[in-house]
Amino acid sequence: MISLQEEHSLIDRILAGDQGAYARLVDNYKSYAYTIALKVLNTRPEAEEAAQDAFIKAYRYLKNFNRQARFSTWLYRIVVNTAISYRRKNPHQLASIEHHDRAVEEGGGMENKDRQVFLGRAIDNLNDADRLAIQLYYIKEFSLEEVAEMTGQNMNTLKVRVHRARQRLADELKRLLKEEALTL
Amino acid sequence: MNNSAKSSPDDLLLDYLDGKLEGTSLQSLKQQLEQSPALQTRLEELRLIHLHLSSARLESPSNDFVDRVMKNLSASSAAASALSPRNGLLLIIGILVAGGILAFMLSSGTFDNANGVISLEKAKPATKYIQYTLPSLPLKGKVILDSILGIAILLCLVVLDRTVLRPLFQKKTAF
């Protein structure tokens, strides 16, 4: 992780025409940008493309970046908006392959895997704003302020949204498990 | 969060799972949990969600991610430097001024008599073995200049789209 001072120095060098210095910034934030894009898009190739596109946009508009804010939150906002525009172009690619992958990767008993799949399905059933808010909220590397900035909401609205989304998830999981039990 | 929302059992349970309850609020919830099996069940349901979501982690992109960004950046910089919005606007203004002058001259009838004929006979090779006559093509200056004016307007629209409108919309969707 680079310090704030180093970040500002890199930005100065980039603005002075040193394109190579941008590679250091990209390397520092690539995982964050990719994770955000993945949470919006749910598919790895598209998330990678959107994250790359976001870095190119950030470079292009770097001169407009206000130094009062953190570069990270400014970049994350660009990533969210870029990923959302990608999803608008391909709305059909919403199948939650990631949740299933995660369930298989984590292993555990059959009951645990089933529960993971059900939870993945319940998350998919949330509306876009709730799903994104709750997924970013739980990534410990992102602060509440950063998630609020990324999703364009104030912190109280975000907290309420995350609470409501978790309530809905619990209700949805109960319903899915009940339905499943009835079909057995 | 408002007070009514705070007082709902679900919100208290979620605050408890987030580790935000302390002091008397925490003691009060623990007492309620001991006395209410329904509240215990709800806590377990919410805990399942909390545990599942807490497993979220940072994901890593492909190993050549940085290289690909830098490569795309070089390509896009080269394309962007070809015609900046400022240069695009100057080009559009230039085309419009030239087009305006042309349109004014056309409407004032300057080219009304600019008609002629292109005789292909002059281009025929001078040989005594080929005996044929080549046709002549009518030349209407006004039609040609109308076409040039049309192409200029089309060119203006393309330049406007590529250098001004598209970057503007891209910028708007980026933030």
Side-chain angles (χ1 to χ4, degrees), chain A residues 8 19 30 33 36 39 54 56 60 64-65 90 92 94 100 103 107 139 143 159 165 182:
Chain A
H8 282 177
Q19 204 180 71
K30 64 181 180 188
I36 296 166
K39 295 300 174 197
I56 290 168
R60 204 176 292 158
N64 301 334
F65 166 60
N90 298 305
H92 59 282
L94 271 174
H100 183 258
I139 293 174
S143 67
K159 280 183 201 167
L182 287 172

PDB file of all heavy atoms in Angstrom, chain A residues 8 19 30 33 36 39 54 56 60 64-65 90 92 94 100 103 107 139 143 159 165 182:
ATOM      1  N   HIS A   8       0.362  11.357  -3.897  1.00  0.00           N
ATOM      2  CA  HIS A   8       0.339  12.712  -4.472  1.00  0.00           C
ATOM      3  C   HIS A   8       1.550  12.947  -5.369  1.00  0.00           C
ATOM      4  O   HIS A   8       1.428  13.579  -6.417  1.00  0.00           O
ATOM      5  CB  HIS A   8       0.289  13.758  -3.350  1.00  0.00           C
ATOM      6  CG  HIS A   8      -1.082  13.901  -2.766  1.00  0.00           C
ATOM      7  ND1 HIS A   8      -1.387  14.717  -1.715  1.00  0.00           N
ATOM      8  CD2 HIS A   8      -2.248  13.302  -3.101  1.00  0.00           C
ATOM      9  CE1 HIS A   8      -2.669  14.632  -1.433  1.00  0.00           C
ATOM     10  NE2 HIS A   8      -3.213  13.768  -2.252  1.00  0.00           N
ATOM     11  N   GLN A  19       3.885   8.755 -17.875  1.00  0.00           N
ATOM     12  CA  GLN A  19       2.819   7.740 -17.938  1.00  0.00           C
ATOM     13  C   GLN A  19       3.195   6.482 -17.145  1.00  0.00           C
ATOM     14  O   GLN A  19       2.332   5.822 -16.572  1.00  0.00           O
ATOM     15  CB  GLN A  19       2.541   7.385 -19.401  1.00  0.00           C
ATOM     16  CG  GLN A  19       1.157   6.826 -19.621  1.00  0.00           C
ATOM     17  CD  GLN A  19       0.906   6.476 -21.075  1.00  0.00           C
ATOM     18  OE1 GLN A  19       1.456   5.514 -21.609  1.00  0.00           O
ATOM     19  NE2 GLN A  19       0.087   7.252 -21.733  1.00  0.00           N
ATOM     20  N   LYS A  30      -5.398  -2.248  -8.111  1.00  0.00           N
ATOM     21  CA  LYS A  30      -6.038  -3.184  -9.061  1.00  0.00           C
ATOM     22  C   LYS A  30      -7.012  -4.152  -8.380  1.00  0.00           C
ATOM     23  O   LYS A  30      -8.099  -4.403  -8.894  1.00  0.00           O
ATOM     24  CB  LYS A  30      -4.980  -3.938  -9.875  1.00  0.00           C
ATOM     25  CG  LYS A  30      -4.084  -4.831  -9.062  1.00  0.00           C
ATOM     26  CD  LYS A  30      -3.044  -5.522  -9.919  1.00  0.00           C
ATOM     27  CE  LYS A  30      -2.171  -6.410  -9.031  1.00  0.00           C
ATOM     28  NZ  LYS A  30      -1.035  -6.968  -9.693  1.00  0.00           N
ATOM     29  N   ALA A  33     -10.230  -2.279  -7.310  1.00  0.00           N
ATOM     30  CA  ALA A  33     -11.056  -1.924  -8.474  1.00  0.00           C
ATOM     31  C   ALA A  33     -11.718  -3.178  -9.055  1.00  0.00           C
ATOM     32  O   ALA A  33     -12.906  -3.172  -9.382  1.00  0.00           O
ATOM     33  CB  ALA A  33     -10.196  -1.250  -9.532  1.00  0.00           C
ATOM     34  N   ILE A  36     -14.573  -4.472  -6.797  1.00  0.00           N
ATOM     35  CA  ILE A  36     -15.795  -3.654  -6.931  1.00  0.00           C
ATOM     36  C   ILE A  36     -16.519  -4.015  -8.229  1.00  0.00           C
ATOM     37  O   ILE A  36     -17.729  -4.251  -8.245  1.00  0.00           O
ATOM     38  CB  ILE A  36     -15.451  -2.142  -6.914  1.00  0.00           C
ATOM     39  CG1 ILE A  36     -14.859  -1.746  -5.562  1.00  0.00           C
ATOM     40  CG2 ILE A  36     -16.675  -1.302  -7.218  1.00  0.00           C
ATOM     41  CD1 ILE A  36     -14.195  -0.377  -5.558  1.00  0.00           C
ATOM     42  N   LYS A  39     -18.281  -7.284  -7.983  1.00  0.00           N
ATOM     43  CA  LYS A  39     -19.510  -7.245  -7.183  1.00  0.00           C
ATOM     44  C   LYS A  39     -20.669  -6.682  -8.008  1.00  0.00           C
ATOM     45  O   LYS A  39     -21.815  -7.057  -7.816  1.00  0.00           O
ATOM     46  CB  LYS A  39     -19.328  -6.384  -5.924  1.00  0.00           C
ATOM     47  CG  LYS A  39     -18.319  -6.937  -4.932  1.00  0.00           C
ATOM     48  CD  LYS A  39     -18.711  -8.303  -4.423  1.00  0.00           C
ATOM     49  CE  LYS A  39     -17.630  -8.909  -3.550  1.00  0.00           C
ATOM     50  NZ  LYS A  39     -17.786 -10.356  -3.377  1.00  0.00           N
ATOM     51  N   ALA A  54     -11.963   1.481 -16.348  1.00  0.00           N
ATOM     52  CA  ALA A  54     -12.061   2.510 -15.299  1.00  0.00           C
ATOM     53  C   ALA A  54     -10.696   3.158 -15.053  1.00  0.00           C
ATOM     54  O   ALA A  54     -10.606   4.381 -14.876  1.00  0.00           O
ATOM     55  CB  ALA A  54     -12.595   1.889 -14.021  1.00  0.00           C
ATOM     56  N   ILE A  56      -8.327   3.506 -17.197  1.00  0.00           N
ATOM     57  CA  ILE A  56      -8.021   4.367 -18.355  1.00  0.00           C
ATOM     58  C   ILE A  56      -8.792   5.694 -18.235  1.00  0.00           C
ATOM     59  O   ILE A  56      -8.245   6.769 -18.457  1.00  0.00           O
ATOM     60  CB  ILE A  56      -8.319   3.633 -19.680  1.00  0.00           C
ATOM     61  CG1 ILE A  56      -7.270   2.527 -19.852  1.00  0.00           C
ATOM     62  CG2 ILE A  56      -8.301   4.572 -20.877  1.00  0.00           C
ATOM     63  CD1 ILE A  56      -7.553   1.531 -20.916  1.00  0.00           C
ATOM     64  N   ARG A  60      -7.345   9.510 -17.802  1.00  0.00           N
ATOM     65  CA  ARG A  60      -7.746  10.569 -18.727  1.00  0.00           C
ATOM     66  C   ARG A  60      -8.258  11.815 -17.976  1.00  0.00           C
ATOM     67  O   ARG A  60      -8.051  12.932 -18.402  1.00  0.00           O
ATOM     68  CB  ARG A  60      -8.836  10.019 -19.655  1.00  0.00           C
ATOM     69  CG  ARG A  60      -8.931  10.758 -20.969  1.00  0.00           C
ATOM     70  CD  ARG A  60      -9.938  10.123 -21.878  1.00  0.00           C
ATOM     71  NE  ARG A  60      -9.526   8.811 -22.351  1.00  0.00           N
ATOM     72  CZ  ARG A  60     -10.372   7.891 -22.805  1.00  0.00           C
ATOM     73  NH1 ARG A  60     -11.673   8.120 -22.799  1.00  0.00           N
ATOM     74  NH2 ARG A  60      -9.935   6.740 -23.249  1.00  0.00           N
ATOM     75  N   ASN A  64      -8.648  16.491 -13.428  1.00  0.00           N
ATOM     76  CA  ASN A  64      -9.837  17.020 -12.742  1.00  0.00           C
ATOM     77  C   ASN A  64      -9.939  16.520 -11.301  1.00  0.00           C
ATOM     78  O   ASN A  64     -10.857  16.900 -10.575  1.00  0.00           O
ATOM     79  CB  ASN A  64     -11.123  16.583 -13.466  1.00  0.00           C
ATOM     80  CG  ASN A  64     -11.153  17.056 -14.898  1.00  0.00           C
ATOM     81  OD1 ASN A  64     -10.529  18.048 -15.242  1.00  0.00           O
ATOM     82  ND2 ASN A  64     -11.867  16.329 -15.748  1.00  0.00           N
ATOM     83  N   PHE A  65      -9.017  15.640 -10.902  1.00  0.00           N
ATOM     84  CA  PHE A  65      -9.094  15.059  -9.561  1.00  0.00           C
ATOM     85  C   PHE A  65      -8.801  16.119  -8.503  1.00  0.00           C
ATOM     86  O   PHE A  65      -7.791  16.806  -8.556  1.00  0.00           O
ATOM     87  CB  PHE A  65      -8.106  13.888  -9.466  1.00  0.00           C
ATOM     88  CG  PHE A  65      -7.837  13.424  -8.066  1.00  0.00           C
ATOM     89  CD1 PHE A  65      -8.867  12.953  -7.268  1.00  0.00           C
ATOM     90  CD2 PHE A  65      -6.550  13.455  -7.546  1.00  0.00           C
ATOM     91  CE1 PHE A  65      -8.617  12.539  -5.978  1.00  0.00           C
ATOM     92  CE2 PHE A  65      -6.292  13.035  -6.257  1.00  0.00           C
ATOM     93  CZ  PHE A  65      -7.334  12.578  -5.470  1.00  0.00           C
ATOM     94  N   ASN A  90     -24.928  -5.358 -21.043  1.00  0.00           N
ATOM     95  CA  ASN A  90     -25.154  -6.819 -21.037  1.00  0.00           C
ATOM     96  C   ASN A  90     -25.991  -7.233 -19.839  1.00  0.00           C
ATOM     97  O   ASN A  90     -25.481  -7.867 -18.920  1.00  0.00           O
ATOM     98  CB  ASN A  90     -23.822  -7.569 -20.979  1.00  0.00           C
ATOM     99  CG  ASN A  90     -22.974  -7.291 -22.185  1.00  0.00           C
ATOM    100  OD1 ASN A  90     -23.397  -7.472 -23.311  1.00  0.00           O
ATOM    101  ND2 ASN A  90     -21.774  -6.823 -21.934  1.00  0.00           N
ATOM    102  N   HIS A  92     -28.107  -9.474 -19.394  1.00  0.00           N
ATOM    103  CA  HIS A  92     -28.376 -10.908 -19.231  1.00  0.00           C
ATOM    104  C   HIS A  92     -27.315 -11.606 -18.386  1.00  0.00           C
ATOM    105  O   HIS A  92     -27.542 -12.678 -17.855  1.00  0.00           O
ATOM    106  CB  HIS A  92     -28.477 -11.587 -20.599  1.00  0.00           C
ATOM    107  CG  HIS A  92     -27.234 -11.444 -21.413  1.00  0.00           C
ATOM    108  ND1 HIS A  92     -26.931 -10.265 -22.077  1.00  0.00           N
ATOM    109  CD2 HIS A  92     -26.203 -12.282 -21.645  1.00  0.00           C
ATOM    110  CE1 HIS A  92     -25.774 -10.408 -22.694  1.00  0.00           C
ATOM    111  NE2 HIS A  92     -25.311 -11.617 -22.441  1.00  0.00           N
ATOM    112  N   LEU A  94     -26.228 -11.819 -15.492  1.00  0.00           N
ATOM    113  CA  LEU A  94     -26.365 -11.606 -14.058  1.00  0.00           C
ATOM    114  C   LEU A  94     -26.350 -12.907 -13.263  1.00  0.00           C
ATOM    115  O   LEU A  94     -26.528 -12.899 -12.063  1.00  0.00           O
ATOM    116  CB  LEU A  94     -27.655 -10.841 -13.760  1.00  0.00           C
ATOM    117  CG  LEU A  94     -27.497  -9.330 -13.787  1.00  0.00           C
ATOM    118  CD1 LEU A  94     -28.840  -8.654 -13.641  1.00  0.00           C
ATOM    119  CD2 LEU A  94     -26.558  -8.848 -12.700  1.00  0.00           C
ATOM    120  N   HIS A 100     -21.834 -19.642  -6.559  1.00  0.00           N
ATOM    121  CA  HIS A 100     -21.726 -21.085  -6.645  1.00  0.00           C
ATOM    122  C   HIS A 100     -20.267 -21.499  -6.505  1.00  0.00           C
ATOM    123  O   HIS A 100     -19.938 -22.424  -5.776  1.00  0.00           O
ATOM    124  CB  HIS A 100     -22.314 -21.581  -7.971  1.00  0.00           C
ATOM    125  CG  HIS A 100     -22.286 -23.069  -8.083  1.00  0.00           C
ATOM    126  ND1 HIS A 100     -21.345 -23.726  -8.830  1.00  0.00           N
ATOM    127  CD2 HIS A 100     -23.039 -24.023  -7.486  1.00  0.00           C
ATOM    128  CE1 HIS A 100     -21.554 -25.043  -8.707  1.00  0.00           C
ATOM    129  NE2 HIS A 100     -22.568 -25.239  -7.904  1.00  0.00           N
ATOM    130  N   ALA A 103     -19.184 -21.339  -2.960  1.00  0.00           N
ATOM    131  CA  ALA A 103     -19.722 -22.446  -2.170  1.00  0.00           C
ATOM    132  C   ALA A 103     -18.899 -23.711  -2.385  1.00  0.00           C
ATOM    133  O   ALA A 103     -18.566 -24.426  -1.444  1.00  0.00           O
ATOM    134  CB  ALA A 103     -21.176 -22.695  -2.551  1.00  0.00           C
ATOM    135  N   GLY A 107     -16.011 -25.566   0.445  1.00  0.00           N
ATOM    136  CA  GLY A 107     -16.177 -26.948   0.871  1.00  0.00           C
ATOM    137  C   GLY A 107     -17.160 -27.063   2.014  1.00  0.00           C
ATOM    138  O   GLY A 107     -18.159 -26.365   2.053  1.00  0.00           O
ATOM    139  N   ILE A 139     -16.791  -6.050   2.736  1.00  0.00           N
ATOM    140  CA  ILE A 139     -15.362  -6.215   2.399  1.00  0.00           C
ATOM    141  C   ILE A 139     -14.583  -5.328   3.359  1.00  0.00           C
ATOM    142  O   ILE A 139     -14.697  -4.104   3.320  1.00  0.00           O
ATOM    143  CB  ILE A 139     -15.100  -5.844   0.919  1.00  0.00           C
ATOM    144  CG1 ILE A 139     -15.812  -6.875   0.038  1.00  0.00           C
ATOM    145  CG2 ILE A 139     -13.596  -5.845   0.616  1.00  0.00           C
ATOM    146  CD1 ILE A 139     -15.763  -6.580  -1.425  1.00  0.00           C
ATOM    147  N   SER A 143     -13.807   1.147   3.894  1.00  0.00           N
ATOM    148  CA  SER A 143     -14.450   1.777   5.052  1.00  0.00           C
ATOM    149  C   SER A 143     -15.889   2.134   4.683  1.00  0.00           C
ATOM    150  O   SER A 143     -16.249   2.180   3.500  1.00  0.00           O
ATOM    151  CB  SER A 143     -13.686   3.042   5.438  1.00  0.00           C
ATOM    152  OG  SER A 143     -13.838   4.008   4.412  1.00  0.00           O
ATOM    153  N   LYS A 159     -26.270   2.781   5.895  1.00  0.00           N
ATOM    154  CA  LYS A 159     -26.459   1.890   7.051  1.00  0.00           C
ATOM    155  C   LYS A 159     -27.867   1.291   7.044  1.00  0.00           C
ATOM    156  O   LYS A 159     -28.039   0.092   7.254  1.00  0.00           O
ATOM    157  CB  LYS A 159     -26.248   2.676   8.348  1.00  0.00           C
ATOM    158  CG  LYS A 159     -24.806   2.878   8.720  1.00  0.00           C
ATOM    159  CD  LYS A 159     -24.748   3.607  10.054  1.00  0.00           C
ATOM    160  CE  LYS A 159     -23.407   4.273  10.238  1.00  0.00           C
ATOM    161  NZ  LYS A 159     -23.409   5.228  11.338  1.00  0.00           N
ATOM    162  N   ALA A 165     -31.309  -4.767   3.845  1.00  0.00           N
ATOM    163  CA  ALA A 165     -30.906  -5.842   2.922  1.00  0.00           C
ATOM    164  C   ALA A 165     -30.651  -7.133   3.697  1.00  0.00           C
ATOM    165  O   ALA A 165     -31.034  -8.220   3.256  1.00  0.00           O
ATOM    166  CB  ALA A 165     -29.659  -5.431   2.149  1.00  0.00           C
ATOM    167  N   LEU A 182     -40.155 -28.456   1.262  1.00  0.00           N
ATOM    168  CA  LEU A 182     -41.450 -28.939   0.771  1.00  0.00           C
ATOM    169  C   LEU A 182     -41.303 -29.822  -0.466  1.00  0.00           C
ATOM    170  O   LEU A 182     -42.105 -30.711  -0.708  1.00  0.00           O
ATOM    171  CB  LEU A 182     -42.370 -27.749   0.456  1.00  0.00           C
ATOM    172  CG  LEU A 182     -42.929 -27.005   1.673  1.00  0.00           C
ATOM    173  CD1 LEU A 182     -43.663 -25.744   1.245  1.00  0.00           C
ATOM    174  CD2 LEU A 182     -43.861 -27.899   2.491  1.00  0.00           C
TER     175      LEU A 182
END
